[in-house]
Structures are given as C-alpha cells and as structure tokens.
Amino acid sequence: MNALATAQARPVLVRELVALTKPRITTLNLIATAAGFGLAPAGASAWTFLATMLGTALVVGSANGLNCYLERDLDRFMVRTRNRPLPAGRLSSGTALAFCIGLALVGVPLLSFGVNPLAGLLATSALIAYVFVYTPLKQRSSVALLVGAVPGAAPPLIGWAAATGRIEAPGLALFALLFLWQVPHFLAITLYRKEDYAKAGFKILPVERGEPATRRRLALYQVATVATSLTLVPFAGAGAVYAVAAVVLGVVSLVYAARGLRAAADARWARSFFMSTNLYLTLLMAALMVDRYVR
C-alpha cells in the first residue's frame, strides 16, 4: 500500500513543483529569449539554441520558485496567490527550496559552459537581483517595480549573448523594450489587486500615490514601450513585417492605455489592460521572429 501511495503521489508532487516555477511567466520569458536569439546573426548551432532555452527556463523557474519561497507567508493574505503550493500547504518549504536551488545549480552551469560564459553571467546576475534585491524591496518601496524590471528584462539579452557571445545594440534594444513593457504590465495588476497587495504589506503605487496617478504613469510607460519597440528597426535590423506589426499593435495598446485615463476607469479596465499586455508582447516577439525568417 505504501508503494502504491507513493506512486500515486509522484504526479501530484511534480505538478506542484512545476506550479512553483510560475509556468506562464516562464513561458513569456522564453519567448523573449527566443526572440533575442533569433534576431542575432545566423551562425549559432541548434544545440546552442536548445541549451539556451533549457538553461534560461531552469534559471527563470528557480528565480520564480525562490520568490514564492521567500514570500510564502505573505502569499496567504492575497487572493491571487493564496492557492499557490506553499501557502496552500500542498508543498513543504524544504522541498521547494531544495528544488529551486537544484534548478539554478543545473541551469547556470548549462548556460555558462554549454553556451558561453556571458550568457551564464547574465542569467546569474538576473537571478541574484530578482531574488535578493527585488523580492525584499517589494515590502519597502514601490520603486521595487523598476528594480525588478531589470532582471525581468534579461531574457532577450541572454538570447542575444548566447548566439553572439557579446552585448550589442540589438540585444540592448530588446532589453529596453522588455524593461519598459513590464512597468505598465505590473501597474495594471496593482490597480485591480490593490487590496490584496495592501493586506500582504507590499508597497505599490496605487496605495502610495493613488489610482489616478498610477493610471497616468501606466499610460506614459506604455507610450515609451511603443516608441522603444520601433527602435528595433534602426538598431536591431528588424524589417517591414515587424515594423507594421509594431505600429498596429502599438496603436491598439495605446488606445487601451488611454482608456485608463478616464475617471470611470475601474478594476475591470485594469484587468483587461493587463491581459492585453501579455498578448501584445507575445505577438510583437512572434512578429520579430517571422520577420527574421522572411528576410
């Protein structure tokens, strides 16, 4: 009976460990990594690409999991996080910590030695900044959003560095794009989850400055995001397919953001805008890769 129970428990444990890594966030990071790799001049092998994607997935999963581990007590106060494996009690903190450390111990060497040292260094720096700087800062200041956006923007730069072994203008342009994209993306979450964040003790802009000021800042950063997306044409060599997609997607996103400036804008608008930012980034990165293939 014990052996049978153990066999039945294994799929459940695997599912909870995967949930710990925040698969949807990890997937978005991998799309950005692939875009950075794909934008680079041809020459890198298929093995390098696969090792880059796997290594990045492991490091990002480790960072996400360690974030969940450190915030496990605070997550109990938030509706959107209280059902995560740790606060819900479906996974022990010791198992979670060991798993996340294991992911990093495999992912960092894979990038450092299986790809190149620069890719490994970028991934390691992002992991450290996300876990040990951004995570504790969230309880101290709303500036944590900008701090966290730095490691959050690392994936496309890792992809470029993996393919070229260098940090160059195209990779930096992608880094800037992803950095700026995160600000309106996460401000939208804080708008429709304001009470949740306040209960957990996180410092967020809607609480510190008010909702109207937050919506204005969101709109300004969305303008900056769209403007930066267009710089990939002169600085990263993107072509007509990407340029058209960037303009169309940018105009739609700005219309969405502008609607938030109305006095009647509420949590429903914020949630809708948040979901639209995921689609915006996914389609923009897809257009970049299609553009590269067409050319």
Side-chain angles (χ1 to χ4, degrees), residues 126-203:
L127 174 65
I128 292 172
Y130 187 84
V131 175
F132 297 108
V133 181
Y134 164 67
T135 296
L137 189 60
K138 289 165 67 177
Q139 298 175 60
R140 298 176 179 273
S141 172
S142 61
V143 174
L145 171 56
L146 297 178
V147 174
V150 175
L157 193 57
I158 292 172
W160 178 273
T164 66
R166 300 181 298 276
I167 294 177
E168 297 173 302
L172 291 172
L174 278 171
F175 173 86
L177 172 61
L178 205 62
F179 172 86
L180 291 167
W181 169 85
Q182 290 175 86
V183 179
H185 173 78
F186 284 110
L187 284 178
I189 300 178
T190 64
L191 282 166
Y192 75 85
R193 294 289 191 186
K194 182 175 70 171
E195 289 76 15
D196 257 8
Y197 281 103
K199 287 178 184 177
F202 291 119
K203 304 299 183 182

Side-chain angles (χ1 to χ4, degrees), residues 214-232:
T214 301
R215 294 198 301 268
R216 288 193 297 271
R217 187 165 300 188
L218 181 152
L220 287 173
Y221 270 97
Q222 190 59 34
V223 171
T225 299
V226 172
T228 303
S229 74
L230 299 176
T231 67
L232 268 64

Side-chain angles (χ1 to χ4, degrees), residues 254-277:
L254 290 176
V255 170
Y256 257 98
R259 291 179 63 188
L261 297 176
R262 300 173 303 162
D266 56 12
R268 287 178 298 177
W269 164 81
R271 183 178 178 83
S272 176
F273 179 81
F274 163 74
M275 296 177 69
S276 76
T277 59

Side-chain angles (χ1 to χ4, degrees), residues 1-277:
M1 288 293 293
N2 288 337
L4 177 60
T6 300
Q8 291 174 335
R10 283 172 185 156
V12 176
L13 176 61
V14 170
R15 184 183 65 208
E16 300 300 344
L17 289 173
V18 170
L20 192 67
T21 66
K22 304 179 185 177
R24 282 181 290 183
I25 295 177
T26 299
T27 299
L28 274 174
N29 278 273
L30 290 179
I31 291 172
T33 304
F37 192 98
L39 187 63
S45 66
W47 156 254
T48 300
F49 175 73
L50 291 175
T52 300
M53 296 300 286
L54 178 57
T56 303
L58 293 172
V59 173
V60 171
S62 174
N64 288 335
L66 288 170
N67 173 262
C68 287
Y69 171 79
L70 292 173
E71 295 181 348
R72 62 193 183 279
D73 293 328
L74 299 175
D75 281 346
R76 294 190 178 99
F77 295 100
M78 301 178 67
V79 173
R80 81 180 187 93
T81 58
R82 66 188 179 192
N83 197 42
R84 285 175 177 174
L86 288 172
R90 298 191 304 272
L91 192 65
S92 73
S93 57
T95 298
L97 180 60
F99 174 68
C100 295
I101 291 174
L103 292 180
L105 290 177
V106 175
V108 169
L110 178 58
L111 288 170
S112 300
F113 304 109
V115 181
N116 62 56
L118 180 57
L121 177 62
L122 289 170
T124 303
S125 300
L127 174 65
I128 292 172
Y130 187 84
V131 175
F132 297 108
V133 181
Y134 164 67
T135 296
L137 189 60
K138 289 165 67 177
Q139 298 175 60
R140 298 176 179 273
S141 172
S142 61
V143 174
L145 171 56
L146 297 178
V147 174
V150 175
L157 193 57
I158 292 172
W160 178 273
T164 66
R166 300 181 298 276
I167 294 177
E168 297 173 302
L172 291 172
L174 278 171
F175 173 86
L177 172 61
L178 205 62
F179 172 86
L180 291 167
W181 169 85
Q182 290 175 86
V183 179
H185 173 78
F186 284 110
L187 284 178
I189 300 178
T190 64
L191 282 166
Y192 75 85
R193 294 289 191 186
K194 182 175 70 171
E195 289 76 15
D196 257 8
Y197 281 103
K199 287 178 184 177
F202 291 119
K203 304 299 183 182
I204 57 171
L205 202 62
V207 173
E208 292 186 350
R209 300 288 183 87
E211 292 189 20
T214 301
R215 294 198 301 268
R216 288 193 297 271
R217 187 165 300 188
L218 181 152
L220 287 173
Y221 270 97
Q222 190 59 34
V223 171
T225 299
V226 172
T228 303
S229 74
L230 299 176
T231 67
L232 268 64
V233 177
F235 292 126
V241 172
Y242 171 81
V244 171
V247 170
V248 173
L249 291 170
V251 169
V252 172
S253 75
L254 290 176
V255 170
Y256 257 98
R259 291 179 63 188
L261 297 176
R262 300 173 303 162
D266 56 12
R268 287 178 298 177
W269 164 81
R271 183 178 178 83
S272 176
F273 179 81
F274 163 74
M275 296 177 69
S276 76
T277 59

